[in-house]
PDB file of all heavy atoms in Angstrom:
ATOM      1  N   MET A 559      -2.616   9.098   9.905  1.00 97.00           N
ATOM      2  CA  MET A 559      -1.232   8.637  10.057  1.00 97.00           C
ATOM      3  C   MET A 559      -0.378   9.093   8.895  1.00 97.00           C
ATOM      4  O   MET A 559      -0.876   9.265   7.782  1.00 97.00           O
ATOM      5  CB  MET A 559      -1.188   7.097  10.040  1.00 97.00           C
ATOM      6  CG  MET A 559      -1.764   6.425  11.238  1.00 97.00           C
ATOM      7  SD  MET A 559      -1.906   4.648  10.903  1.00 97.00           S
ATOM      8  CE  MET A 559      -3.656   4.573  10.551  1.00 97.00           C
ATOM      9  N   SER A 560       0.923   9.201   9.145  1.00 98.00           N
ATOM     10  CA  SER A 560       1.865   9.483   8.059  1.00 98.00           C
ATOM     11  C   SER A 560       1.919   8.247   7.160  1.00 98.00           C
ATOM     12  O   SER A 560       1.490   7.159   7.559  1.00 98.00           O
ATOM     13  CB  SER A 560       3.250   9.776   8.629  1.00 98.00           C
ATOM     14  OG  SER A 560       3.785   8.594   9.187  1.00 98.00           O
ATOM     15  N   VAL A 561       2.484   8.408   5.959  1.00 98.00           N
ATOM     16  CA  VAL A 561       2.611   7.284   5.031  1.00 98.00           C
ATOM     17  C   VAL A 561       3.373   6.139   5.690  1.00 98.00           C
ATOM     18  O   VAL A 561       2.969   4.979   5.602  1.00 98.00           O
ATOM     19  CB  VAL A 561       3.328   7.725   3.728  1.00 98.00           C
ATOM     20  CG1 VAL A 561       3.640   6.535   2.849  1.00 98.00           C
ATOM     21  CG2 VAL A 561       2.464   8.719   2.967  1.00 98.00           C
ATOM     22  N   ASP A 562       4.464   6.466   6.378  1.00 97.00           N
ATOM     23  CA  ASP A 562       5.267   5.437   7.037  1.00 97.00           C
ATOM     24  C   ASP A 562       4.465   4.660   8.064  1.00 97.00           C
ATOM     25  O   ASP A 562       4.508   3.437   8.109  1.00 97.00           O
ATOM     26  CB  ASP A 562       6.487   6.071   7.727  1.00 97.00           C
ATOM     27  CG  ASP A 562       7.608   6.350   6.744  1.00 97.00           C
ATOM     28  OD1 ASP A 562       7.453   5.967   5.553  1.00 97.00           O
ATOM     29  OD2 ASP A 562       8.624   6.930   7.145  1.00 97.00           O
ATOM     30  N   GLU A 563       3.732   5.406   8.897  1.00 96.00           N
ATOM     31  CA  GLU A 563       2.927   4.750   9.939  1.00 96.00           C
ATOM     32  C   GLU A 563       1.870   3.850   9.317  1.00 96.00           C
ATOM     33  O   GLU A 563       1.649   2.726   9.767  1.00 96.00           O
ATOM     34  CB  GLU A 563       2.241   5.797  10.828  1.00 96.00           C
ATOM     35  CG  GLU A 563       3.184   6.531  11.746  1.00 96.00           C
ATOM     36  CD  GLU A 563       2.492   7.712  12.433  1.00 96.00           C
ATOM     37  OE1 GLU A 563       1.896   8.560  11.734  1.00 96.00           O
ATOM     38  OE2 GLU A 563       2.537   7.774  13.668  1.00 96.00           O
ATOM     39  N   LEU A 564       1.216   4.345   8.283  1.00 96.00           N
ATOM     40  CA  LEU A 564       0.163   3.560   7.650  1.00 96.00           C
ATOM     41  C   LEU A 564       0.743   2.313   6.999  1.00 96.00           C
ATOM     42  O   LEU A 564       0.209   1.212   7.160  1.00 96.00           O
ATOM     43  CB  LEU A 564      -0.595   4.393   6.601  1.00 96.00           C
ATOM     44  CG  LEU A 564      -1.752   3.624   5.957  1.00 96.00           C
ATOM     45  CD1 LEU A 564      -2.954   3.542   6.893  1.00 96.00           C
ATOM     46  CD2 LEU A 564      -2.175   4.237   4.627  1.00 96.00           C
ATOM     47  N   GLU A 565       1.856   2.467   6.287  1.00 96.00           N
ATOM     48  CA  GLU A 565       2.451   1.314   5.605  1.00 96.00           C
ATOM     49  C   GLU A 565       2.928   0.271   6.607  1.00 96.00           C
ATOM     50  O   GLU A 565       2.793  -0.926   6.371  1.00 96.00           O
ATOM     51  CB  GLU A 565       3.573   1.766   4.652  1.00 96.00           C
ATOM     52  CG  GLU A 565       2.984   2.485   3.435  1.00 96.00           C
ATOM     53  CD  GLU A 565       3.998   2.893   2.382  1.00 96.00           C
ATOM     54  OE1 GLU A 565       5.204   2.982   2.704  1.00 96.00           O
ATOM     55  OE2 GLU A 565       3.568   3.149   1.229  1.00 96.00           O
ATOM     56  N   THR A 566       3.452   0.727   7.744  1.00 95.00           N
ATOM     57  CA  THR A 566       3.866  -0.204   8.798  1.00 95.00           C
ATOM     58  C   THR A 566       2.655  -0.983   9.303  1.00 95.00           C
ATOM     59  O   THR A 566       2.697  -2.206   9.461  1.00 95.00           O
ATOM     60  CB  THR A 566       4.520   0.566   9.968  1.00 95.00           C
ATOM     61  OG1 THR A 566       5.613   1.308   9.455  1.00 95.00           O
ATOM     62  CG2 THR A 566       5.012  -0.382  11.053  1.00 95.00           C
ATOM     63  N   MET A 567       1.560  -0.261   9.527  1.00 94.00           N
ATOM     64  CA  MET A 567       0.350  -0.916  10.019  1.00 94.00           C
ATOM     65  C   MET A 567      -0.176  -1.921   9.003  1.00 94.00           C
ATOM     66  O   MET A 567      -0.561  -3.035   9.360  1.00 94.00           O
ATOM     67  CB  MET A 567      -0.714   0.146  10.315  1.00 94.00           C
ATOM     68  CG  MET A 567      -1.924  -0.397  11.050  1.00 94.00           C
ATOM     69  SD  MET A 567      -3.316   0.728  10.917  1.00 94.00           S
ATOM     70  CE  MET A 567      -3.795   0.449   9.220  1.00 94.00           C
ATOM     71  N   LEU A 568      -0.179  -1.543   7.725  1.00 94.00           N
ATOM     72  CA  LEU A 568      -0.699  -2.440   6.688  1.00 94.00           C
ATOM     73  C   LEU A 568       0.178  -3.679   6.553  1.00 94.00           C
ATOM     74  O   LEU A 568      -0.321  -4.790   6.364  1.00 94.00           O
ATOM     75  CB  LEU A 568      -0.787  -1.714   5.330  1.00 94.00           C
ATOM     76  CG  LEU A 568      -1.858  -0.626   5.204  1.00 94.00           C
ATOM     77  CD1 LEU A 568      -1.742   0.085   3.865  1.00 94.00           C
ATOM     78  CD2 LEU A 568      -3.261  -1.218   5.377  1.00 94.00           C
ATOM     79  N   LEU A 569       1.501  -3.500   6.678  1.00 92.00           N
ATOM     80  CA  LEU A 569       2.424  -4.633   6.596  1.00 92.00           C
ATOM     81  C   LEU A 569       2.191  -5.584   7.751  1.00 92.00           C
ATOM     82  O   LEU A 569       2.231  -6.792   7.603  1.00 92.00           O
ATOM     83  CB  LEU A 569       3.879  -4.145   6.637  1.00 92.00           C
ATOM     84  CG  LEU A 569       4.480  -3.756   5.296  1.00 92.00           C
ATOM     85  CD1 LEU A 569       5.899  -3.248   5.494  1.00 92.00           C
ATOM     86  CD2 LEU A 569       4.473  -4.954   4.333  1.00 92.00           C
ATOM     87  N   ARG A 570       1.942  -5.017   8.926  1.00 91.00           N
ATOM     88  CA  ARG A 570       1.799  -5.823  10.122  1.00 91.00           C
ATOM     89  C   ARG A 570       0.493  -6.601  10.126  1.00 91.00           C
ATOM     90  O   ARG A 570       0.458  -7.769  10.429  1.00 91.00           O
ATOM     91  CB  ARG A 570       1.907  -4.950  11.378  1.00 91.00           C
ATOM     92  CG  ARG A 570       2.396  -5.737  12.582  1.00 91.00           C
ATOM     93  CD  ARG A 570       2.413  -4.912  13.852  1.00 91.00           C
ATOM     94  NE  ARG A 570       3.293  -3.752  13.759  1.00 91.00           N
ATOM     95  CZ  ARG A 570       2.930  -2.518  14.113  1.00 91.00           C
ATOM     96  NH1 ARG A 570       1.722  -2.295  14.572  1.00 91.00           N
ATOM     97  NH2 ARG A 570       3.776  -1.532  14.026  1.00 91.00           N
ATOM     98  N   SER A 571      -0.594  -5.919   9.767  1.00 88.00           N
ATOM     99  CA  SER A 571      -1.885  -6.599   9.934  1.00 88.00           C
ATOM    100  C   SER A 571      -2.804  -6.500   8.731  1.00 88.00           C
ATOM    101  O   SER A 571      -3.942  -6.955   8.784  1.00 88.00           O
ATOM    102  CB  SER A 571      -2.590  -6.057  11.179  1.00 88.00           C
ATOM    103  OG  SER A 571      -2.494  -4.659  11.206  1.00 88.00           O
ATOM    104  N   GLY A 572      -2.335  -5.918   7.634  1.00 90.00           N
ATOM    105  CA  GLY A 572      -3.176  -5.809   6.453  1.00 90.00           C
ATOM    106  C   GLY A 572      -4.459  -5.063   6.760  1.00 90.00           C
ATOM    107  O   GLY A 572      -4.456  -4.110   7.531  1.00 90.00           O
ATOM    108  N   THR A 573      -5.557  -5.510   6.176  1.00 89.00           N
ATOM    109  CA  THR A 573      -6.839  -4.849   6.420  1.00 89.00           C
ATOM    110  C   THR A 573      -7.695  -5.704   7.342  1.00 89.00           C
ATOM    111  O   THR A 573      -8.910  -5.618   7.342  1.00 89.00           O
ATOM    112  CB  THR A 573      -7.586  -4.608   5.101  1.00 89.00           C
ATOM    113  OG1 THR A 573      -7.755  -5.861   4.436  1.00 89.00           O
ATOM    114  CG2 THR A 573      -6.819  -3.665   4.199  1.00 89.00           C
ATOM    115  N   GLN A 574      -7.011  -6.595   8.094  1.00 88.00           N
ATOM    116  CA  GLN A 574      -7.697  -7.502   9.028  1.00 88.00           C
ATOM    117  C   GLN A 574      -8.681  -6.722   9.893  1.00 88.00           C
ATOM    118  O   GLN A 574      -8.455  -5.555  10.173  1.00 88.00           O
ATOM    119  CB  GLN A 574      -6.677  -8.168   9.965  1.00 88.00           C
ATOM    120  CG  GLN A 574      -5.747  -9.145   9.271  1.00 88.00           C
ATOM    121  CD  GLN A 574      -6.481 -10.152   8.429  1.00 88.00           C
ATOM    122  OE1 GLN A 574      -7.333 -10.872   8.936  1.00 88.00           O
ATOM    123  NE2 GLN A 574      -6.199 -10.191   7.135  1.00 88.00           N
ATOM    124  N   PRO A 575      -9.729  -7.438  10.386  1.00 85.00           N
ATOM    125  CA  PRO A 575     -10.618  -6.786  11.346  1.00 85.00           C
ATOM    126  C   PRO A 575      -9.790  -6.205  12.479  1.00 85.00           C
ATOM    127  O   PRO A 575      -8.883  -6.853  12.981  1.00 85.00           O
ATOM    128  CB  PRO A 575     -11.488  -7.940  11.836  1.00 85.00           C
ATOM    129  CG  PRO A 575     -11.468  -8.933  10.735  1.00 85.00           C
ATOM    130  CD  PRO A 575     -10.146  -8.793  10.048  1.00 85.00           C
ATOM    131  N   LEU A 576     -10.052  -4.958  12.811  1.00 82.00           N
ATOM    132  CA  LEU A 576      -9.294  -4.304  13.854  1.00 82.00           C
ATOM    133  C   LEU A 576      -9.737  -4.853  15.201  1.00 82.00           C
ATOM    134  O   LEU A 576     -10.923  -5.018  15.444  1.00 82.00           O
ATOM    135  CB  LEU A 576      -9.545  -2.796  13.798  1.00 82.00           C
ATOM    136  CG  LEU A 576      -9.150  -2.121  12.490  1.00 82.00           C
ATOM    137  CD1 LEU A 576      -9.730  -0.726  12.421  1.00 82.00           C
ATOM    138  CD2 LEU A 576      -7.645  -2.081  12.363  1.00 82.00           C
ATOM    139  N   SER A 577      -8.765  -5.167  16.061  1.00 66.00           N
ATOM    140  CA  SER A 577      -9.163  -5.557  17.414  1.00 66.00           C
ATOM    141  C   SER A 577      -9.531  -4.264  18.106  1.00 66.00           C
ATOM    142  O   SER A 577      -8.705  -3.387  18.310  1.00 66.00           O
ATOM    143  CB  SER A 577      -8.016  -6.251  18.127  1.00 66.00           C
ATOM    144  OG  SER A 577      -6.892  -5.419  18.139  1.00 66.00           O
ATOM    145  N   LEU A 578     -10.809  -4.152  18.400  1.00 64.00           N
ATOM    146  CA  LEU A 578     -11.291  -2.883  18.932  1.00 64.00           C
ATOM    147  C   LEU A 578     -10.759  -2.663  20.332  1.00 64.00           C
ATOM    148  O   LEU A 578     -10.898  -3.509  21.197  1.00 64.00           O
ATOM    149  CB  LEU A 578     -12.825  -2.884  18.955  1.00 64.00           C
ATOM    150  CG  LEU A 578     -13.484  -2.986  17.584  1.00 64.00           C
ATOM    151  CD1 LEU A 578     -14.996  -3.022  17.732  1.00 64.00           C
ATOM    152  CD2 LEU A 578     -13.081  -1.813  16.713  1.00 64.00           C
ATOM    153  N   PRO A 579     -10.133  -1.510  20.545  1.00 58.00           N
ATOM    154  CA  PRO A 579      -9.702  -1.193  21.900  1.00 58.00           C
ATOM    155  C   PRO A 579     -10.917  -1.097  22.822  1.00 58.00           C
ATOM    156  O   PRO A 579     -12.031  -0.878  22.339  1.00 58.00           O
ATOM    157  CB  PRO A 579      -9.016   0.159  21.752  1.00 58.00           C
ATOM    158  CG  PRO A 579      -9.164   0.593  20.345  1.00 58.00           C
ATOM    159  CD  PRO A 579      -9.823  -0.483  19.573  1.00 58.00           C
TER     160      PRO A 579
END
Side-chain angles (χ1 to χ4, degrees):
M559 290 170 258
S560 69
V561 172
D562 280 356
E563 288 170 307
L564 183 77
E565 289 184 340
T566 303
M567 190 198 74
L568 290 175
L569 273 178
R570 206 184 299 132
S571 45
T573 57
Q574 292 309 303
L576 300 167
S577 56
L578 297 178

